[in-house]
Structures are given as structure tokens and as C-alpha cells.
Amino acid sequence: MRALIAMTTQALGAPLADITSAVKTLRAGTEVWDAGAIQQAMQRITRDTEQTRAALATLDALLQTQAQPICAAPVELADLLMIILPRWKALAPRHSFELALPGHEPTILCDASRLDRALMLLLEYAVALTPTGGAVRVILRSHPVAGGPSGQIAGHIEEAQISVRCGVYVPSTEALARLFEPFARLSMAADAAQIGGGLGLTLARALVESQGGRLWAEGTPGTVGLTLTLALPPEPQRTMIRAADTLSTAATAPVAIPGASSRPLALTRAQRVALVVMGEARMGRYLRANFEAQGYRIVAAGDLAEALRQVDLEEPDLILLDLGLIGMAGQNVGQENEPLAALQQLVEYAAAPVIVLGRGADPTLSAQALDAGAADYLPQPFSMEELLARARAALRVRAASAAKHAPVFTCGDLMIDFAHRQVTVAERPIALSKTEYKLLRALAQHAGMALTHETLLERVWGKGYSQEVEFVWVYVRRLRRKIEPDPSHPHYILTVPGVGYRLARSSSPASLQDEG
């Protein structure tokens, strides 16, 4: 890290010297310059200033990455990619995005937030390099590890690899080797070189390597086609395993942990997760320290878009929202009553109770926030003891509501215990990922009714996912492999041609056979 800081500091000298030179020139010769020359000098100053600011922010993120402990939990990589790619379709509408998944999607134990950020940086770089109208292809696969560590995941010793391919000219092998150095340039694509102020790929590699992974670039010199590949180990360090939430995300079998029970892990977790959406860094640190002392795991977001991403990634139990946060505008949020509209969107998107932290006592704003769906409203400044008590109360209300409206669904040998989020077939526990469970729950809550692909996309993946019909196909196929006696002739999840799917509601095997 010291070498990286020294290299970055030295590299930052170039744009700073350029800025200083341009300013001195402007001061000395403004009276004889024409307007065009002055404008070019100002644009150069603005460009170099923005690059320096972005580089310093990225360097700060690198330092924070080294300082923060890894918070590992089971992550199903197909789920994560299906969250990320549709958002890039909206961010880069002039590009196309392709996702290739294997028959068996690997599940790993890692820090989902770090991996999500690394992938976002790789995709941002790939989009900047790919010509308008070009395709960015993302490929997920499992790769055997020769002489890998002891232990098995899904019956194999293998690492998970995610490759991002883009269409750009590869000049030389030496250029590929230097690609992850600060301010490296692969081609004339200036936008790509400025990702993260020139430190984007450096940060991405640090995020991957902090979890024992690798990140490298491949391509044939003199041809078009660059592949950025990250690989994550099949078995994390023992300390990471102990820190993980006990979430069942195994595709075909749970992760093998020495000394653990062979029973599939339940879809419950030992540690509550709180999402803090806060603009003021000092208040964010204050909330983190106090809630972590109460046993919560904290994830943070600085705006609505990041908050929605964290809801997808972490499925928090509680959300603390600064209603006065600058930048709360997000997708589908208008200009009028912007913070309240953002609050309503967050409430609709997340299942967790939202406690609003207002900027001062305002009865009208408090009433509007509660009408928008907030579980509680607490003006700043506030007592931390009171906030923690209100958080406990909100969670009790949520638990009581879940218990009241969470019966056990049965259909033949299939049983879904909504209260405990457990699924069994013929009394055999079934390990499901978060997304698989959400899809099965959506079908079970409307058993016997045909749900369209669009309805399932919105209920499982959220608003903005109306075009990704292939997501539903993939997950129905995976669910059938896990719960159906014969996936090719399903008894439970039935296809409604031209519409979507429905879950059979009959309780007897004979009736199920008739419905299929």
C-alpha cells in the first residue's frame, strides 16, 4: 500500500503541474489571447482538476478498504450479476449487455459490497472502452483449481470467475501488464483512463485481492478484444467463515464448513443488518458505532440509487434515512417533494421498516413522511437511546406482522414456512438462494393464479426490471431442479403459455398430476 501511495502521489504531480502552468499562462497573457485560447486553457484546468479530485477520492476509498474488516456472507454470483447488469442498461442505453451463466452457478463466501463495487468499476471501464452500439459481455463460470485448498463447494474444488469482455484494440502485452497501475492508458479512449480519476482499475484490483481473489487482463496484441477477469477463491479464510451470516445460498449444496452440521442452512441470519442512508459523514460514523455496539451489521449509502442497490444486495432488516440528504433524487422521482418521493420509492422497494431522521422538528414534514410509509420519524438532534428503542419497536411491529400474515403453505410434499423462511420437500430441507426464495414466495402467495413475467420481475427483482424476462426463465428452471421430482415434467411450478407461471395449489399428488 505504501508503494501504491507513493506511485499515486508521483503521478498526481503531472496534472497539478499542468494546472499550475495553465494558470500562470493565463495570468501572464490574458490581454493578448483570443477567446478560443482562453476557453481551451480553462477546459484543460477543469479537466485536470476533476481528475485530481476523483483520484484523491479513489485513493481515500483504497485506504478505507484496507482499514475496514471484511464482512463475508454467502453470495450467489448469478443473483449479484442480475442486479448489476439491468442498471447498466439504463446507465448506458447505447450499448448492449450480454450475460452468460453456466448450468451450475457458483456460490461463494465473500463481502458482497466489495465485490459489487469492483464489478461496477470493471463495467464502467468496459463501457468507456466499447464503441457506441457495441456489446459488453459478462461471463460467469466455475474453474477447477489445480492443487487448491482442501474443502469442497458443490462437490468440486473450483474458483468462481467473472469475465467482462469489451471491444477495444489491444496494443501490446506490456500494456496489459500495466493496465492496473495508477493512470494507465490502454488506448486513446480518454474516458476509460479517467475512471476513478485514473485509479478505477487499481481500486477494483484492491477490492478483489482484499478477499483473496485475483484480477487480470487478457487479450491478443494487435487485435480487438479485451477481457477483464476476476477470480474468487473456493474457500475463504476461516476468520471470514466465522464472520459470515448464516444465509442459505448454495446452488446445489451448502458450503462445507469444518465441524458444521450437514443440514442445509436456513434462510435466517444471526446478525441484523441496518442500512444507513446518510449524507453527513460524521453522523454516519456515529450511527454505525452505536448500532454495531448493539450487534447490527451496518451498510451505508449516500444517495437513493446506492440505497436501492444495497437493498438488493443485503436485504436489510432496518433502514435509517436522512430525509434532508442532498442527492436523494433517483429513478422515477420527480422534482416536486423530491425527498418524500424518494422515501416512498424506498419504502415500496424494501421490505424493511424505514426510520426517517429529519433535519429539525417539523410536524408537517413528520406527518408527510409517515403518510409516505415511514415506520417512524425522529427529528435531529436526537437521543441515541431513543433511536435504538424506536428501532427495536419498529422491528417488533414488523416481526408481529410477519408472524400474523405468514402461514405455512403446503402443496403435496412441498411446504413453505413463511415465518421462518424455510422450504422442504417430503420433509427434506431445500437450500435456496435469496432470489430463488423470493420467486417461490411470490408464486405461493398467489397459488393457483397465473403471474406474468412482468409481474414476477417487479415482485422479485423490483421496478425497472420489466424487460429481463430471461431472469424468470433461469430461476424457474433452477427452482424446478430443486423442488420438482421430475423437473422436465413439473408438478408444482406450472407454465402458463404466453403468460408466465403459476404455482399449483392442490394438496394431493393425484390432483397435482392432473394439473400438470
Side-chain angles (χ1 to χ4, degrees), residues 226-240:
L226 170 70
T227 301
L228 302 169
T229 300
L230 66 83
L232 293 165
E235 185 177 272
Q237 298 296 320
R238 187 71 59 86
T239 54
M240 291 174 62

PDB file of all heavy atoms in Angstrom, residues 226-240:
ATOM      1  N   LEU A 226     -10.694  -7.111 -25.403  1.00  0.00           N
ATOM      2  CA  LEU A 226     -10.075  -7.098 -24.081  1.00  0.00           C
ATOM      3  C   LEU A 226     -11.001  -7.816 -23.106  1.00  0.00           C
ATOM      4  O   LEU A 226     -12.209  -7.591 -23.109  1.00  0.00           O
ATOM      5  CB  LEU A 226      -9.841  -5.666 -23.598  1.00  0.00           C
ATOM      6  CG  LEU A 226      -9.428  -5.502 -22.135  1.00  0.00           C
ATOM      7  CD1 LEU A 226      -8.002  -6.016 -21.929  1.00  0.00           C
ATOM      8  CD2 LEU A 226      -9.539  -4.041 -21.707  1.00  0.00           C
ATOM      9  N   THR A 227     -10.433  -8.676 -22.263  1.00  0.00           N
ATOM     10  CA  THR A 227     -11.194  -9.379 -21.235  1.00  0.00           C
ATOM     11  C   THR A 227     -10.598  -9.078 -19.876  1.00  0.00           C
ATOM     12  O   THR A 227      -9.397  -9.300 -19.652  1.00  0.00           O
ATOM     13  CB  THR A 227     -11.189 -10.899 -21.478  1.00  0.00           C
ATOM     14  OG1 THR A 227     -11.757 -11.182 -22.752  1.00  0.00           O
ATOM     15  CG2 THR A 227     -12.009 -11.609 -20.405  1.00  0.00           C
ATOM     16  N   LEU A 228     -11.428  -8.560 -18.982  1.00  0.00           N
ATOM     17  CA  LEU A 228     -11.044  -8.334 -17.587  1.00  0.00           C
ATOM     18  C   LEU A 228     -11.678  -9.446 -16.762  1.00  0.00           C
ATOM     19  O   LEU A 228     -12.899  -9.603 -16.780  1.00  0.00           O
ATOM     20  CB  LEU A 228     -11.527  -6.966 -17.106  1.00  0.00           C
ATOM     21  CG  LEU A 228     -11.024  -5.746 -17.899  1.00  0.00           C
ATOM     22  CD1 LEU A 228     -11.791  -4.496 -17.498  1.00  0.00           C
ATOM     23  CD2 LEU A 228      -9.533  -5.550 -17.680  1.00  0.00           C
ATOM     24  N   THR A 229     -10.885 -10.211 -16.053  1.00  0.00           N
ATOM     25  CA  THR A 229     -11.385 -11.375 -15.321  1.00  0.00           C
ATOM     26  C   THR A 229     -11.007 -11.283 -13.854  1.00  0.00           C
ATOM     27  O   THR A 229      -9.851 -11.013 -13.512  1.00  0.00           O
ATOM     28  CB  THR A 229     -10.818 -12.677 -15.905  1.00  0.00           C
ATOM     29  OG1 THR A 229     -11.203 -12.787 -17.281  1.00  0.00           O
ATOM     30  CG2 THR A 229     -11.351 -13.889 -15.145  1.00  0.00           C
ATOM     31  N   LEU A 230     -12.007 -11.496 -13.009  1.00  0.00           N
ATOM     32  CA  LEU A 230     -11.734 -11.609 -11.574  1.00  0.00           C
ATOM     33  C   LEU A 230     -12.064 -13.028 -11.141  1.00  0.00           C
ATOM     34  O   LEU A 230     -13.014 -13.639 -11.626  1.00  0.00           O
ATOM     35  CB  LEU A 230     -12.503 -10.577 -10.763  1.00  0.00           C
ATOM     36  CG  LEU A 230     -14.030 -10.617 -10.670  1.00  0.00           C
ATOM     37  CD1 LEU A 230     -14.514 -11.588  -9.598  1.00  0.00           C
ATOM     38  CD2 LEU A 230     -14.572  -9.235 -10.352  1.00  0.00           C
ATOM     39  N   ALA A 231     -11.236 -13.541 -10.263  1.00  0.00           N
ATOM     40  CA  ALA A 231     -11.424 -14.888  -9.736  1.00  0.00           C
ATOM     41  C   ALA A 231     -11.454 -14.814  -8.220  1.00  0.00           C
ATOM     42  O   ALA A 231     -10.642 -14.116  -7.607  1.00  0.00           O
ATOM     43  CB  ALA A 231     -10.291 -15.810 -10.196  1.00  0.00           C
ATOM     44  N   LEU A 232     -12.394 -15.521  -7.628  1.00  0.00           N
ATOM     45  CA  LEU A 232     -12.541 -15.544  -6.176  1.00  0.00           C
ATOM     46  C   LEU A 232     -12.334 -16.966  -5.679  1.00  0.00           C
ATOM     47  O   LEU A 232     -12.770 -17.928  -6.325  1.00  0.00           O
ATOM     48  CB  LEU A 232     -13.915 -15.028  -5.776  1.00  0.00           C
ATOM     49  CG  LEU A 232     -14.113 -13.539  -6.084  1.00  0.00           C
ATOM     50  CD1 LEU A 232     -15.579 -13.175  -6.016  1.00  0.00           C
ATOM     51  CD2 LEU A 232     -13.310 -12.677  -5.137  1.00  0.00           C
ATOM     52  N   PRO A 233     -11.661 -17.112  -4.542  1.00  0.00           N
ATOM     53  CA  PRO A 233     -11.255 -18.451  -4.097  1.00  0.00           C
ATOM     54  C   PRO A 233     -12.438 -19.309  -3.697  1.00  0.00           C
ATOM     55  O   PRO A 233     -13.480 -18.800  -3.280  1.00  0.00           O
ATOM     56  CB  PRO A 233     -10.356 -18.154  -2.884  1.00  0.00           C
ATOM     57  CG  PRO A 233     -10.839 -16.830  -2.385  1.00  0.00           C
ATOM     58  CD  PRO A 233     -11.254 -16.064  -3.608  1.00  0.00           C
ATOM     59  N   PRO A 234     -12.270 -20.625  -3.813  1.00  0.00           N
ATOM     60  CA  PRO A 234     -13.365 -21.533  -3.465  1.00  0.00           C
ATOM     61  C   PRO A 234     -13.617 -21.620  -1.975  1.00  0.00           C
ATOM     62  O   PRO A 234     -14.707 -21.978  -1.552  1.00  0.00           O
ATOM     63  CB  PRO A 234     -12.895 -22.879  -4.018  1.00  0.00           C
ATOM     64  CG  PRO A 234     -11.402 -22.779  -3.985  1.00  0.00           C
ATOM     65  CD  PRO A 234     -11.079 -21.347  -4.274  1.00  0.00           C
ATOM     66  N   GLU A 235     -12.613 -21.302  -1.183  1.00  0.00           N
ATOM     67  CA  GLU A 235     -12.749 -21.444   0.259  1.00  0.00           C
ATOM     68  C   GLU A 235     -12.080 -20.257   0.931  1.00  0.00           C
ATOM     69  O   GLU A 235     -10.860 -20.091   0.839  1.00  0.00           O
ATOM     70  CB  GLU A 235     -12.080 -22.742   0.718  1.00  0.00           C
ATOM     71  CG  GLU A 235     -12.270 -23.040   2.200  1.00  0.00           C
ATOM     72  CD  GLU A 235     -11.644 -24.369   2.555  1.00  0.00           C
ATOM     73  OE1 GLU A 235     -12.328 -25.396   2.428  1.00  0.00           O
ATOM     74  OE2 GLU A 235     -10.460 -24.378   2.941  1.00  0.00           O
ATOM     75  N   PRO A 236     -12.848 -19.379   1.594  1.00  0.00           N
ATOM     76  CA  PRO A 236     -12.250 -18.215   2.239  1.00  0.00           C
ATOM     77  C   PRO A 236     -11.491 -18.600   3.502  1.00  0.00           C
ATOM     78  O   PRO A 236     -11.514 -19.752   3.928  1.00  0.00           O
ATOM     79  CB  PRO A 236     -13.469 -17.347   2.582  1.00  0.00           C
ATOM     80  CG  PRO A 236     -14.565 -18.337   2.770  1.00  0.00           C
ATOM     81  CD  PRO A 236     -14.286 -19.466   1.802  1.00  0.00           C
ATOM     82  N   GLN A 237     -10.825 -17.600   4.075  1.00  0.00           N
ATOM     83  CA  GLN A 237     -10.125 -17.851   5.326  1.00  0.00           C
ATOM     84  C   GLN A 237     -11.120 -18.213   6.425  1.00  0.00           C
ATOM     85  O   GLN A 237     -12.258 -17.772   6.420  1.00  0.00           O
ATOM     86  CB  GLN A 237      -9.328 -16.608   5.740  1.00  0.00           C
ATOM     87  CG  GLN A 237      -8.242 -16.227   4.731  1.00  0.00           C
ATOM     88  CD  GLN A 237      -7.182 -17.297   4.614  1.00  0.00           C
ATOM     89  OE1 GLN A 237      -6.784 -17.887   5.612  1.00  0.00           O
ATOM     90  NE2 GLN A 237      -6.729 -17.569   3.406  1.00  0.00           N
ATOM     91  N   ARG A 238     -10.673 -18.987   7.406  1.00  0.00           N
ATOM     92  CA  ARG A 238     -11.557 -19.431   8.482  1.00  0.00           C
ATOM     93  C   ARG A 238     -12.190 -18.252   9.225  1.00  0.00           C
ATOM     94  O   ARG A 238     -13.342 -18.295   9.628  1.00  0.00           O
ATOM     95  CB  ARG A 238     -10.761 -20.289   9.453  1.00  0.00           C
ATOM     96  CG  ARG A 238     -11.598 -20.952  10.527  1.00  0.00           C
ATOM     97  CD  ARG A 238     -12.457 -22.059   9.933  1.00  0.00           C
ATOM     98  NE  ARG A 238     -11.677 -23.070   9.284  1.00  0.00           N
ATOM     99  CZ  ARG A 238     -11.134 -24.117   9.925  1.00  0.00           C
ATOM    100  NH1 ARG A 238     -11.285 -24.260  11.211  1.00  0.00           N
ATOM    101  NH2 ARG A 238     -10.448 -25.015   9.251  1.00  0.00           N
ATOM    102  N   THR A 239     -11.426 -17.150   9.373  1.00  0.00           N
ATOM    103  CA  THR A 239     -11.968 -15.977  10.079  1.00  0.00           C
ATOM    104  C   THR A 239     -13.134 -15.384   9.311  1.00  0.00           C
ATOM    105  O   THR A 239     -14.090 -14.884   9.891  1.00  0.00           O
ATOM    106  CB  THR A 239     -10.882 -14.917  10.258  1.00  0.00           C
ATOM    107  OG1 THR A 239     -10.305 -14.609   8.985  1.00  0.00           O
ATOM    108  CG2 THR A 239      -9.804 -15.400  11.197  1.00  0.00           C
ATOM    109  N   MET A 240     -13.081 -15.442   7.984  1.00  0.00           N
ATOM    110  CA  MET A 240     -14.180 -14.922   7.178  1.00  0.00           C
ATOM    111  C   MET A 240     -15.409 -15.806   7.337  1.00  0.00           C
ATOM    112  O   MET A 240     -16.534 -15.317   7.379  1.00  0.00           O
ATOM    113  CB  MET A 240     -13.778 -14.849   5.708  1.00  0.00           C
ATOM    114  CG  MET A 240     -12.730 -13.796   5.408  1.00  0.00           C
ATOM    115  SD  MET A 240     -12.178 -13.868   3.699  1.00  0.00           S
ATOM    116  CE  MET A 240     -13.695 -13.508   2.847  1.00  0.00           C
TER     117      MET A 240
END
